[in-house]
Amino acid sequence: MKISRALSVFTHLIALVGFLSIFMSGGVGVPTAAVFVLALTASFVSELYGKDYFVGGRVGAALAVLLVAYSAAAILLFGLEPFRVVLDFLIFTQVLKLLGKKRMRDVVQIYVLSFFQFLAGAIITISFSFAVAFVLYIAAAIWALMIYEMRKASLDAGVSSGDGDPGVVTPMFLSTTFLLSFGIFLLAALIFVTVPRMRGNYLRTDFLRSGDLRSGFSDEVRLGRVGEIKLDSSPVMMVRILNRSVDDLPAPLYWRGIALDEFDGAAWKATGGGRYGGPETAPRARPGQGRTGGHLAQEVITESLDTDILFAANFPVSYGSVPGGRVAQVNDSYILPGRISGRIKYLAYSDVYTPPAGDLRGAGVDYSDIEFERYLQLPPLAPGVSELARNITSPGGNAYDKALAIKRYLLMNYGYTRTLEGGRGEYPLEEFLFDIKEGHCEYFSTAMVVLLREAGIPARVVNGFIGGEWNEHGQFFLVRESDAHSWAEAYFPEYGWVTFDATPEGGADMPATASFISSYVDYLRYRWNRYVIDFSQRDQIRLFNDIRDRWKWRRGRLAGPSGLFSRPDGTVVALIVLSGTAVWILVTRTGLGALFRRGKGGAPERATIIYGNALKLLSKRGFSRPDYMTQREFSFYLKSSSFPGAGIVDELTDKYLYIRFGGDGGAHEITALESLYGKLKSLKSKGHAPKTMP
């Protein structure tokens, strides 16, 4: 590929990659993306076929002024989000540049606009897709900059498009620049892990936040609404178990969110005051916790959720490393004091112990540990509800058997559906129990709690998630929006709150198994979030300590009494010889040797540099070569202008063209060219340039 064609290809490529950096973040609408793609395509096709289809200079300048005026008005007069306005400004300025005639300075401006788009993508997205955009941009930028410098040097040397436009973009060139980009990527990774971490979000923006808030979870339960439950596979959080094997966990796991205690006949809400506490304090005591065998430790990474609830398995007792350092506790649920709409990472500790049925049957009736009346509260309901509770629980003599009887009754006599139609009555629970007999998990949890309270057993509704996909690659649970769930809890003296899930099969799904590809993509997303987005000062210290310990261990193995370098045999020598042989094969067989031997470049490249320096020297003395002149025409012009060194320039030009385009590029030719340049440089008489050029 010739340099002029390569410049067009890589200029459009870097413009495309810069745009993709923000497009993949969801920050660009379909109309804007369509305009950019059309402009990019039109620009590339017109250059590919040598057409002069471009926006004129005056029209482009007028459109640029209108764009600046619109951007200023959008911020100052209409109050639009500044970051969004700047983003649109970058995109449409790039569109104008693509549609305009491209001189070398315009190419540079396209590169700069692409770079700022890339930076904008880094600010507005934390998605794993940005890692792909990052690698593509590094490679495209290196290719584009190298081709730009080649083309600029060719133009400075007077080489125009055509036969004098060399084809230097070869597979060797692309592979070499790819290795260079890989090295830059490694250097960037080294800088990333060594620069001290700083707390604070200095480049935060509210842009895209409202559109990126996704959750099937709700901090309330409201019955009677149609279409509230939506199946969505969007990830909500990733949970890594820190101190237990997944085989030792109860199944299914309930990712507890918020406990709701007050019911008005149609909706549940949480009441009661909360208390604040430090996240690193000892776990709060729970009845019967001496039999748990320790608390389950979890690392939770959430996506952007429109809630201030902290999630944890089963029964959370403590949290650590939460944003702000403090949490509020309400109904054994934990809440951040200030709602945080962004993604967060924290540690959670849970009690996942479930007392045996025999112990629960022997639980007493001393409810002095809780607000007994608060968890028996009910609104005025139809007499049939109380009668149904008595009929279901009449055979049971203790609270546990009564709760079990209610759960069995709901599982055997009611069906699960996500497409529940609205009823005609004022109380949707009564319609569910006596007429429709179908509903989603919120109806079953509500029915379970109401019937328990009618039977005199303290109970409450809990909203959260259930199960999730176990990822074998990353060893974590991936919880999705479709895993949102609601269940009931009943209180037993000496043992605390116990889970009862009366939702039939289909509403409380067991952990799913993802395909190999999707599972591995989820694993990569987790690694990106954990070790790039959330790479903290603590991780940095741990990494450096690990490197130090490994170095001490390796040094001991190599230099110790039985180490490698203490051996009297020829093992070390053999390893050195084998390593040297491998490097020699790599250099000689892959073409890298030619790259190393080239030094500052081949003879044509060095000749171009020398000739370019000569042109710069002549320009300083008042003899600048116009773009429309060839090298020989310029030499003839110097002769006609009575320039003292015209003969030297003529000989230097002949020698340069001979080396540059197919002649002998030996060292003696380069030496001769350098000698001519030295003579030109040492001229004492500078001559006088004419006032007008021919």
Side-chain angles (χ1 to χ4, degrees), residues 327-369:
V327 294
Q329 187 265 104
V330 179
N331 286 347
D332 300 314
S333 306
Y334 289 79
I335 305 171
L336 291 173
R339 182 177 292 260
I340 298 179
S341 300
R343 62 190 307 278
I344 59 175
K345 181 185 73 171
Y346 54 87
L347 300 176
Y349 305 90
S350 300
D351 184 355
V352 296
Y353 171 76
T354 300
D359 293 349
L360 294 176
R361 287 189 175 95
V365 293
D366 181 10
Y367 295 104
S368 59
D369 291 339

Side-chain angles (χ1 to χ4, degrees), residues 49-50 64 142 158 175 224 242 255 301 337 590 592 595 640 647-648 655 677:
Y49 293 100
I142 292 175
S175 60
L242 302 179
W255 307 105
I301 301 177
T590 61
L592 292 177
L595 181 63
S640 63
I648 299 175
K655 184 69 68 176
Y677 173 68

Side-chain angles (χ1 to χ4, degrees), residues 412-425:
M412 295 176 61
N413 295 280
Y414 296 84
Y416 181 85
T417 180
R418 294 188 179 94
T419 57
L420 183 66
E421 297 182 359
R424 294 170 294 177

Side-chain angles (χ1 to χ4, degrees), residues 579-598:
S579 300
T581 304
V583 172
W584 179 81
I585 293 175
L586 177 66
V587 170
T588 56
R589 298 297 183 181
T590 61
L592 292 177
L595 181 63
F596 295 146
R597 289 192 300 269
R598 193 171 294 147

Side-chain angles (χ1 to χ4, degrees), residues 43 47 53-56 95-102 106:
S43 174
E47 292 190 12
Y53 300 141
F54 55 83
V55 176
V95 168
L96 293 178
K97 283 296 175 183
L98 290 171
L99 295 179
K101 189 174 182 179
K102 300 177 191 62
D106 298 301

Side-chain angles (χ1 to χ4, degrees), residues 532-543:
V532 178
I533 302 300
D534 294 317
F535 189 78
S536 63
Q537 188 179 51
R538 181 179 300 178
D539 295 320
Q540 200 173 35
I541 295 174
R542 185 184 300 116
L543 174 63

